[in-house]
Amino acid sequence: MSRFAGLESAAIVAFHDAHVGDRAWRASAPRHADGAWAAIEANHRCNLLLWDAEDQARRTDVPDAAIAALKRAIDRHNQARNDAVESIDEALLARLADVRPHRDAWQHSETAGAMIDRLSILSLKVHHMGLAASRAGVPAEERAQRRAKVATLAAQRGDLARCYDALLARATAGEAFWRIYRQYKMYNDPALNPYLSRGVNGRVAPSNGDSPAATADG
């Protein structure tokens, strides 16, 4: 039996598609307690919530305070999404703990968890572009263009799904490997984001001698 039985791309894509339009599922309790599927479920839920929040954050008919609240929600969902990707990789790599990669094994720069995250996002794009293509009142030419985009997105997802399955197969055979790449989102950590660490009189405390105005990739 495969080390990744039940975690093939077909099962993951089917799971994504089953829940992408289910708003009740987004607010429901997790169905998986632990392991790879718990993290896959958490990641997909975060992507659905992110999609909705990003759409709403573009509104111009609500107060600025509502947009600020949405931006904070986006930050929380995105942090949880990245945490889930790392948890997916941890669970998948645990199944390869006794596999020693060959000396000439290919190091894959993208992790399997990141690929599953992309499959989740593509399910959202396929779903919403499909809705846009079937919307009433859309001119025939525009409808055709949107349907073409659905086909392109579906093809891209198919390519990614095959690459994911190939990575797992090659990793099982010791022919490829990947590492967990920790995100270490500094902007969410009060100890690392100088704008969250307030000094005397509420002034921003510079970090490591840097000016508060300095920018860096968080």
Side-chain angles (χ1 to χ4, degrees):
M1 179 180 291
S2 168
R3 292 170 184 263
F4 299 102
L7 288 165
E8 299 89 351
S9 65
I12 293 170
V13 168
F15 173 81
H16 288 161
D17 284 349
H19 299 294
V20 69
D22 186 351
R23 291 189 172 276
W25 178 80
R26 303 177 193 192
S28 65
R31 299 181 184 180
H32 300 87
D34 52 30
W37 271 108
I40 291 170
E41 179 181 10
N43 171 256
H44 193 43
R45 181 176 281 108
C46 286
N47 279 328
L48 302 187
L49 294 171
L50 268 170
W51 185 283
D52 284 347
E54 290 281 11
D55 272 355
Q56 293 186 57
R58 271 68 182 177
R59 295 178 62 178
T60 59
D61 61 336
V62 295
D64 288 348
I67 302 303
L70 285 165
K71 291 293 188 180
R72 292 184 184 278
I74 287 169
D75 199 31
R76 291 194 302 272
H77 295 324
N78 198 46
Q79 180 68 61
R81 168 199 169 208
N82 281 286
D83 291 345
V85 169
E86 293 183 13
S87 294
I88 293 171
D89 281 318
E90 289 170 354
L92 295 182
L93 287 173
R95 299 187 180 213
L96 295 168
D98 63 333
V99 176
R100 186 169 184 176
H102 303 166
R103 291 184 62 184
D104 60 347
W106 173 259
Q107 181 173 359
H108 206 273
S109 63
E110 184 178 34
T111 74
M115 296 171 85
I116 291 174
D117 178 57
R118 287 174 59 201
L119 287 172
S120 169
I121 294 169
L122 279 165
S123 76
L124 272 154
K125 290 184 176 182
V126 169
H127 173 75
H128 286 284
M129 189 63 71
L131 292 179
S134 61
R135 191 170 298 149
V138 177
E141 183 178 355
E142 177 63 23
R143 189 183 305 277
Q145 291 175 356
R146 293 178 185 182
R147 286 175 176 167
K149 290 178 181 179
V150 171
T152 297
L153 290 167
Q156 290 174 180
R157 183 168 64 163
D159 290 344
L160 179 58
R162 286 189 293 276
C163 290
Y164 165 81
D165 287 333
L167 175 59
L168 294 190
R170 294 188 68 192
T172 298
E175 299 171 355
F177 68 97
W178 76 90
R179 305 185 194 281
I180 298 176
Y181 292 107
R182 304 294 182 184
Q183 297 297 314
Y184 297 135
K185 296 294 186 181
M186 297 174 65
Y187 52 71
N188 284 332
D189 189 340
L192 298 175
N193 182 342
Y195 289 91
L196 298 181
S197 303
R198 296 291 173 174
V200 179
N201 297 324
R203 290 177 296 179
V204 174
S207 175
N208 297 324
D210 294 334
S211 164
T215 60
D217 182 9

